[in-house]
Amino acid sequence: MKKNLDLEEMITHRELEGKRTSMTQRDASTQWHPYTQMKDFGIHLPVVSARGSRLFLEDGSFLIDAISSWWVNLYGHGNPIIKQRLTQQFDQLDHVLFAGFTHPPALELADRLLPLLPGMSRLFFSDNGSTAVEVALKMALQYFWNRGEVDRRVILAFENAYHGDTFGAMAAGGVGVFNQAFADMLPKVIRIPVPLSEDDPQTFEALEKIDLQTVAGFIYEPLVQGAGGMIRYDADGLSRVMSEVHHAGGWCIADEVMTGFGRLDTFFASEVIEEKPDIICLSKGLTGGVLPMAISAASERVYEGFLSNDRGKAFMHGHSFTANPMGCAAALAGLDLLNSGEIQRSRLSLIRQQADFARSVMDHPNVEECFSMGTLLVIRLKRNRSSEVYDEFRDRVYALALANQVLLRPLGNVLYAMPPYTSTTEDLKIMYKGIRAILNNIPID
Ligand code: PMP
């Protein structure tokens, strides 16, 4: 492999002299990057093209995209099936507003997606995972406002949850670093610990103290909490919390932004949880990761709560690009791919390889916990102190991964990999070799 850049040095700000290119210089003077302390960051790596699981840098070297470009790219970069459908759609209809108008790709998407979503009968479109959550929370809260149930103003969520960065989504999230600057301005959310067993006393004793008659909606990441640290928890315990919320008349909101479209063992995590949600949030993999789009799918009962002779009871929410036809076309191509024999085979092979690798490093002296769930691999590294999501230890692991040709974005001491389903054996070999190099070389402090 051609390798001119010392990636570890570049991103850790060491020996930057002479390493800046015209692209990185322009970036340094015009861009403001997400989740980044711009004052002490080194160089933002110039990616000029991508194919499959590989990101090609300006100098001709490549990285394995082991996190599917923030969990979105399920079918590989530059996928020809998505490209073909997008080209056809662009020739037909690029965009039209969705208030007062409809179009074929939105209708076809509803026909094909709704049967896959347990209990859902309506699609409400928006632009990203945070807006999918924002919409879902607003639906739950307004449903009860429309009925005059003014005491139902509380959202119930799990500790350690992550649901996005807009105000409602931030409020539902339990991770300090993402929302601490706005803590005094967020909507009312009550948090309980995730259940680690069907009758985990920590969860159910906390739940008992809450007046569930005030809860409009309960939002959760089904089966595994993502950005909060890849925490898996008990499906039956979750089902029990949901049924208590339902029993008291509130709505259950499944945030499947990370878990949707086959990331875990089934197409949607909600399939394996006995109690079913009333609203499901989708984004990320929805368009195969090529266009920003999100859906908050709702049951007919939720939808009916907005039907009224009073126009003020309509759901007064929308975005310029609601149900953008190009996004819908990419999502349709995504469903074709997800159901295709080829993707099913390569996804199953990825699931097997992740499980094999997890088993092979489980007893490594630097590994505290390691598991795979479907296509997701999680490794919790041992540390002598507690970790923060964006601490310096994490930065070192990130840099070491890049130096080994792998893009990973650890969360504190949690290393995870969720590559595209189309990753080749060769791609995965490089990825696993990089992860082993981290395990063998990271100084545990
Ligand atoms: N919900 C979950 C479960 C997520 O993992 C994320 C993003 N990581 C979001 C919501 C927010 O999505 P977005 O970044 O597209 O706003």
Side-chain angles (χ1 to χ4, degrees):
M1 184 197 75
K2 190 165 169 242
K3 187 168 180 283
N4 295 334
L5 307 176
D6 184 331
L7 299 175
E8 187 179 352
E9 287 189 345
M10 287 175 74
I11 74 109
T12 53
H13 214 153
R14 281 187 279 130
E15 307 201 12
L16 283 184
E17 277 327 298
K19 296 243 167 83
R20 290 196 194 276
T21 66
S22 139
M23 266 178 81
T24 61
Q25 255 158 18
R26 281 163 59 208
D27 179 273
S29 58
T30 59
Q31 305 299 321
W32 189 348
H33 291 266
Y35 305 118
T36 304
Q37 176 46 263
M38 298 296 287
K39 182 164 182 284
D40 62 14
F41 199 84
I43 280 175
H44 289 89
L45 302 176
V47 175
V48 291
S49 65
R51 275 289 171 281
S53 301
R54 298 184 179 201
L55 304 172
F56 293 92
L57 302 182
E58 196 183 17
D59 71 344
S61 62
F62 71 85
L63 297 171
I64 298 296
D65 187 357
I67 55 159
S68 301
S69 284
W70 258 342
W71 323 349
V72 301
N73 193 289
L74 306 186
Y75 314 110
H77 293 275
N79 188 292
I81 307 261
I82 300 181
K83 178 180 172 184
Q84 188 189 20
R85 190 116 195 190
L86 280 179
T87 312
Q88 283 166 354
Q89 187 58 48
F90 187 79
D91 287 342
Q92 199 68 35
L93 172 67
D94 51 1
H95 183 60
V96 64
L97 70 167
F98 207 59
F101 297 88
T102 192
H103 52 71
L107 298 176
E108 191 185 339
L109 189 54
D111 289 346
R112 293 184 53 195
L113 188 55
L114 283 169
L116 303 178
L117 302 173
M120 300 296 112
S121 70
R122 302 276 165 178
L123 301 184
F124 192 96
F125 287 93
S126 63
D127 303 339
N128 56 69
S130 305
T131 57
V133 166
E134 209 71 31
V135 163
L137 297 177
K138 285 176 69 176
M139 278 176 178
L141 289 163
Q142 191 183 332
Y143 176 92
F144 294 106
W145 183 86
N146 281 357
R147 291 159 60 105
E149 291 188 39
V150 290
D151 290 336
R152 273 205 199 257
R153 301 309 275 168
V154 172
I155 297 296
L156 180 66
F158 281 135
E159 286 169 7
N160 260 312
Y162 178 83
H163 295 289
D165 293 341
T166 52
F167 267 79
M170 268 199 298
V175 185
V177 67
F178 295 111
N179 54 19
Q180 61 197 7
F182 311 96
D184 57 332
M185 309 187 69
L186 300 174
K188 180 143 195 222
V189 173
I190 297 181
R191 261 176 271 284
I192 55 172
V194 288
L196 299 177
S197 62
E198 188 182 353
D199 46 12
D200 189 334
Q202 295 236 49
T203 307
F204 291 98
E205 280 166 21
L207 196 62
E208 239 168 57
K209 296 195 185 108
I210 298 166
D211 178 2
L212 288 179
Q213 300 295 328
T214 64
V215 170
F218 162 51
I219 185 162
Y220 57 92
E221 296 155 271
L223 302 183
V224 58
Q225 296 185 296
M230 297 295 163
I231 298 160
R232 63 180 166 169
Y233 64 98
D234 190 76
D236 294 332
L238 170 62
S239 195
R240 245 189 87 189
V241 176
M242 291 170 68
S243 80
E244 292 204 21
V245 170
H246 276 153
H247 201 69
W251 298 126
C252 291
I253 304 166
D255 178 351
E256 294 235 24
V257 167
M258 178 184 90
T259 52
F261 301 99
R263 187 41 87 187
L264 303 183
D265 287 298
T266 48
F267 279 5
F268 296 96
S270 295
E271 289 167 40
V272 296
I273 296 153
E274 199 177 335
E275 192 77 14
K276 297 302 174 201
D278 309 283
I279 303 174
I280 300 180
C281 304
L282 301 170
S283 186
K284 292 199 184 276
L286 169 64
T287 64
V290 302
L291 286 172
M293 171 166 267
I295 288 174
S296 311
S299 71
E300 200 63 10
R301 281 186 58 215
V302 171
Y303 171 76
E304 280 171 356
F306 292 77
L307 304 179
S308 166
N309 295 327
D310 177 352
R311 286 183 186 207
K313 292 187 175 173
F315 192 49
M316 298 303 283
H317 187 110
H319 300 278
S320 315
F321 288 98
T322 297
N324 168 251
M326 301 288 287
C328 291
L332 287 166
L335 287 180
D336 287 344
L337 284 160
L338 189 61
N339 286 301
S340 69
E342 203 179 324
I343 294 291
Q344 290 196 3
R345 274 190 300 279
S346 61
R347 185 174 152 266
L348 282 179
S349 156
L350 174 59
I351 290 174
R352 251 193 321 269
Q353 291 182 76
Q354 295 283 67
D356 289 347
F357 185 77
R359 264 192 300 276
S360 76
V361 295
M362 204 168 263
D363 297 324
H364 191 286
N366 290 343
V367 171
E368 185 185 306
E369 184 199 11
C370 177
F371 63 89
S372 73
M373 279 179 92
T375 71
L376 168 68
L377 168 74
V378 178
I379 302 175
R380 209 170 302 279
L381 297 169
K382 268 193 196 138
R383 278 200 84 183
N384 298 325
R385 58 182 90 189
S386 66
S387 293
E388 299 288 327
V389 174
Y390 278 105
D391 63 9
E392 280 168 15
F393 178 78
R394 171 260 176 220
D395 288 350
R396 261 184 285 152
V397 181
Y398 174 67
L400 195 52
L402 286 181
N404 281 282
Q405 227 190 329
V406 188
L407 165 57
L408 293 167
R409 275 184 71 88
L411 301 156
N413 63 330
V414 178
L415 202 63
Y416 66 88
M418 46 169 118
Y421 305 157
T422 48
S423 300
T424 63
T425 309
E426 184 57 30
D427 296 333
L428 295 179
K429 230 160 116 184
I430 300 171
M431 181 181 95
Y432 293 135
K433 192 166 164 233
I435 296 176
R436 272 188 202 282
I438 294 170
L439 297 183
N440 292 337
N441 294 306
I442 192 75
I444 300 299
D445 63 354

